[in-house]
Amino acid sequence: MNTLSTLLIVVGLFLLGGVISFSKQKMPKGVIVAVGLGAVLCLVAGVVRLQGVFG
């Protein structure tokens, strides 16, 4: 695992926790969707970089 892929996955998981927290706090749906989209993009980018390293 290289550093950038690890960092992207960690940031994606952090943002995913933010989505869960924001939904429990009844934040506006636009904020939840924006943070959720960022989380998905970070996780996908991290996994794609991992496949490039090992593939």
Side-chain angles (χ1 to χ4, degrees):
M1 264 174 114
N2 65 12
T3 307
L4 185 58
S5 61
T6 304
L7 183 65
L8 284 168
I9 292 172
V10 168
V11 169
L13 291 174
F14 177 76
L15 289 174
L16 188 62
V19 168
I20 294 168
S21 175
F22 285 171
S23 65
K24 286 182 181 179
Q25 294 178 22
K26 307 282 193 240
M27 296 289 280
K29 295 290 182 191
V31 173
I32 296 171
V33 169
V35 174
L37 185 61
V40 168
L41 288 174
C42 283
L43 288 171
V44 168
V47 169
V48 167
R49 285 192 58 87
L50 276 180
Q51 288 179 352
V53 169
F54 293 121

